[in-house]
Amino acid sequence: MNFFIVKGRMMIGLMLAGAMLAGVSAFVLFMTDSDGIHVYSDSDDIYKINMVTGEFKSKTEDGKVIESYRWDPGTVYLPAGEPVTLSIFGVNGKEHPFIIEGTEVSGKVKKGEETVLNLQFDSPGVYRLICTAHASIEDNGPMIAYLVVK
């Protein structure tokens, strides 16, 4: 049977490493809500969420090019009754006209530009951010993000 002997400095090093690991674990648990979702804010009053437009492109075996557009991230968790700033930067696609289902909010995200929405959802639920130009598979979609209000 083999034994591993820990002496002096090595023991101190192992204890420090264990303490650091415990501290990082506690920090992660403290900063994460029950769903594991982090929402960071620039101030104490306004949550700011950053999104981008993205594209997947591929070829089928017969050489046909297929593509699909998306919002990234595709699911965002927001607090009910709190003001939120949603910043969407256009990366792929010329433009993406959109609506937020169940609201009067609509707009357009253009390539190379930032679209900023100041929102507040008072009722919990799931609100879909839908690009109306890419609403179905036939239109290189569906390009839908889910705004989950808790």
Side-chain angles (χ1 to χ4, degrees):
M1 185 168 4
N2 294 329
F3 291 97
F4 184 71
I5 298 174
V6 179
K7 293 184 180 181
R9 288 185 185 166
M10 185 180 280
M11 183 62 149
I12 292 171
L14 289 173
M15 288 171 51
L16 287 173
M20 286 179 18
L21 180 61
V24 169
S25 298
F27 177 77
V28 168
L29 288 173
F30 177 73
M31 294 300 293
T32 305
D33 71 11
S34 62
D35 291 331
I37 304 301
H38 301 279
V39 180
Y40 299 98
S41 66
D42 292 335
S43 72
D44 291 336
D45 300 321
I46 304 290
Y47 291 99
K48 184 173 183 182
I49 305 298
N50 295 290
M51 299 179 83
V52 296
T53 61
E55 175 185 18
F56 289 107
K57 189 180 274 191
S58 184
K59 285 186 182 180
T60 61
E61 288 184 19
D62 64 358
K64 179 183 175 188
V65 175
I66 56 174
E67 59 187 11
S68 181
Y69 289 93
R70 60 169 283 137
W71 304 107
D72 191 30
T75 303
V76 175
Y77 291 82
L78 305 171
E82 299 289 332
V84 175
T85 298
L86 181 61
S87 167
I88 310 171
F89 186 71
V91 177
N92 293 104
K94 181 178 178 182
E95 62 183 31
H96 298 281
F98 65 86
I99 61 166
I100 298 179
E101 191 175 60
T103 72
E104 300 293 320
V105 178
S106 64
K108 190 178 293 185
V109 177
K110 295 181 181 181
K111 188 173 192 167
E113 296 181 16
E114 178 186 34
T115 299
V116 177
L117 303 169
N118 295 309
L119 306 169
Q120 181 169 327
F121 296 91
D122 293 323
S123 300
V126 178
Y127 299 83
R128 298 188 318 157
L129 172 64
I130 303 170
C131 173
T132 57
H134 305 293
S136 68
I137 291 173
E138 294 76 29
D139 300 320
N140 299 326
M143 186 176 180
I144 299 173
Y146 301 92
L147 308 176
V148 181
V149 178
K150 297 173 85 176

